[in-house]
Amino acid sequence: MSTVVVVPAWTRRRAFALVERNFMIYRRSVTPLLNALVEPILYLLSIGVGVGMLVGAVPGVQVPYAVYVAPAILATTAMNTAFNQTSFGVFARMRIEKTYQAILPTPLSVTDIAVGEVTSAMINALLTSIGFLVLMAVGGLVTSAWVLLALPASLLIAYAFAAGGLAVTTYLRDFPDFQYIQLFMLPMYLFATTFYPLSVYPEAVRPLIQALPLYHSIELVREPALGRLGWDLLIPVVYLLAFGSIAMTVATRRMTRMMLR
């Protein structure tokens, strides 16, 4: 007979205790946040600006290539910041540092821990997104005031990928298993319309690209950044909410099974 896993309830106050704990550690150094900005800045300079000098205006949207690529890199910045925190960070705290084993005797439940980690990741993703958006503005890559919608969008992106990272981490056995994650994350980063529009793909391939969570994340940031708003933006909103909620359910159930057995 299969064992029914009872997922303990959570409260904002208890979950916030873990968020507070994380930021008591982070506030000692801004290095993690700065490191999260290094890679996207390099991509923006090397591809957005460098390759953009050869590409010129992007057909169909008629904006400079760097202006087209920058919002997509902002979306991937939110994704990577959130995902890395709830994958590498949580794995270390769960398997190496045994942080959660020390927390569980307190009033915090496993679900409090999961919600606290995802919330921490969302806050960090928002901070890095703000930093990258400022750099876009300084670099003259902002063409519409609607780009400010990238900030709430980054929170939703962070929620989806932080929950996804948490769920994936519960299946990992050791650090070498992170290589399997990169087999998915890197191709998704390269092909989910980060650097070129969906129209360059053959018709048969487009549905596969549109099924990727990063594709919807990029759409949610790029369209407002280019001043294009429409009801179709509800599609990525619903997609990311559903993706994050399903991942969160999987993560909390598996973490409960692992920690309370």
Side-chain angles (χ1 to χ4, degrees), residues 17-253:
L18 185 70
V19 175
E20 187 178 16
R21 175 260 176 201
N22 287 344
F23 278 90
M24 286 178 66
I25 296 174
Y26 299 149
R27 71 181 182 181
R28 297 181 182 179
S29 174
V30 297
T31 302
L33 290 178
L34 294 178
N35 287 341
L37 284 171
V38 170
E39 183 177 333
I41 290 173
L42 291 177
Y43 272 110
L44 180 62
L45 292 176
S46 61
I47 299 180
V49 177
V51 176
M53 296 177 66
L54 304 175
V55 174
V58 179
V61 292
Q62 298 305 317
V63 297
Y65 184 68
V67 172
Y68 180 80
V69 168
I73 297 180
L74 192 156
T76 61
T77 300
M79 174 190 76
N80 286 329
T81 302
F83 187 87
N84 289 341
Q85 183 171 329
T86 57
S87 55
F88 292 99
V90 168
F91 185 84
R93 288 189 282 276
M94 185 186 301
R95 299 296 182 91
I96 309 300
E97 300 169 2
K98 305 295 183 182
T99 302
Y100 302 141
Q101 286 81 343
I103 291 176
L104 283 176
T106 73
L108 271 71
S109 68
V110 176
T111 313
D112 291 321
I113 293 173
V115 172
E117 289 291 2
V118 168
T119 303
S120 297
M122 290 173 64
I123 295 172
N124 275 344
L126 178 62
L127 293 176
T128 54
S129 296
I130 291 172
F132 191 81
L133 183 57
V134 170
L135 291 173
M136 286 175 56
V138 171
L141 302 179
V142 173
T143 59
S144 171
W146 290 113
V147 73
L148 292 175
L149 291 177
L151 299 182
S154 68
L155 279 174
L156 181 54
I157 294 166
Y159 167 65
F161 281 97
L166 199 64
V168 168
T169 300
T170 63
Y171 289 93
L172 303 181
R173 298 161 298 177
D174 206 344
F175 278 107
D177 288 346
F178 280 99
Q179 298 176 21
Y180 298 115
I181 296 177
Q182 292 306 311
L183 289 177
F184 175 76
M185 296 295 287
L186 183 57
M188 181 173 67
Y189 178 71
L190 295 175
F191 298 117
T193 70
T194 309
F195 301 109
Y196 33 79
L198 185 66
S199 59
V200 304
Y201 291 101
E203 289 284 349
V205 178
R206 292 178 190 177
L208 298 177
I209 302 301
Q210 291 173 306
L212 298 172
L214 181 56
Y215 168 81
H216 292 278
S217 302
I218 291 172
E219 287 293 292
L220 194 58
V221 175
R222 177 180 278 154
E223 293 300 295
L226 298 181
R228 303 189 299 190
L229 298 177
W231 290 107
D232 54 341
L233 286 177
L234 291 177
I235 296 174
V237 169
V238 172
Y239 179 102
L240 292 172
L241 280 173
F243 181 89
S245 299
I246 292 171
M248 197 69 185
T249 300
V250 172
T252 51
R253 288 188 177 277

